[in-house]
């Protein structure tokens, strides 16, 4: 089952959702601001994306700039920051089996459908 980690208030996330809707494939929407992924789930997503935790952080968010910018943080500390403040998680994230992409640009999603 395809999953999209979605924030309805984000334009890129809505564009990613539209790509999935037009694909005709079944998918599940995970509103990650309401259903916050655990540190374990986030770690699994990061492994599927094949990136480091810092690459999943929205560094332009006020929370990041005020609390973490310029600080040395371990991968676990970065993951814990995203769990504590899910607005820091880049979006949308689409997972299809053992493949995952960040939908920025949204066309990235097409590569795993």
């Amino acid at each position: 089952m395809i999953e999209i980690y979605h924030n309805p208030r984000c334009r890129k996330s809505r564009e990613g959702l539209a790509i999935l809707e037009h694909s005709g494939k079944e998918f599940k929407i995970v509103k990650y601001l309401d259903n916050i992924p655990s540190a374990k789930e986030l770690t699994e997503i990061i492994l599927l994306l094949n990136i480091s935790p810092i690459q999943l952080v929205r560094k332009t968010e006020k929370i990041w700039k005020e609390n973490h910018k310029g600080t040395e943080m371990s991968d676990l500390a970065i993951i814990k920051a995203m769990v504590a403040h899910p607005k820091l998680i880049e979006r949308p994230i689409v997972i299809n089996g053992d493949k995952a992409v960040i939908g920025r640009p949204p066309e990235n999603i097409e590569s795993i459908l």
Side-chain angles (χ1 to χ4, degrees):
M1 171 68 77
I2 299 170
E3 292 181 307
I4 181 170
Y5 284 73
H6 177 60
N7 177 350
R9 298 186 69 194
C10 172
R11 181 175 57 90
K12 295 292 183 192
S13 196
R14 291 191 306 269
E15 289 174 11
L17 182 61
I19 289 171
L20 288 177
E21 289 170 341
H22 286 88
S23 76
K25 297 182 184 218
E26 283 189 43
F27 62 92
K28 172 183 163 189
I29 298 172
V30 178
K31 291 184 181 178
Y32 67 92
L33 294 177
D34 299 329
N35 186 15
I36 302 168
S38 68
K40 181 178 185 278
E41 290 169 321
L42 210 45
T43 299
E44 290 169 0
I45 291 168
I46 290 164
L47 288 171
L48 283 174
L49 288 167
N50 197 28
I51 61 174
S52 64
I54 193 66
Q55 291 175 283
L56 192 58
V57 172
R58 294 177 52 82
K59 295 170 206 72
T60 57
E61 289 290 336
K62 183 178 179 182
I63 296 165
W64 182 263
K65 291 193 277 189
E66 291 179 354
N67 299 304
H68 306 293
K69 185 178 179 183
T71 62
E72 197 68 30
M73 296 175 70
S74 68
D75 286 350
L76 182 57
I78 293 167
I79 290 168
K80 286 182 177 182
M82 286 188 280
V83 171
H85 305 283
K87 283 179 72 173
L88 292 176
I89 301 171
E90 189 61 83
R91 66 221 179 216
I93 300 167
V94 177
I95 301 170
N96 187 1
D98 62 352
K99 299 178 202 160
V101 295
I102 298 172
R104 286 186 174 266
E107 294 78 29
N108 286 351
I109 295 166
E110 294 169 356
S111 70
I112 65 166
L113 295 181

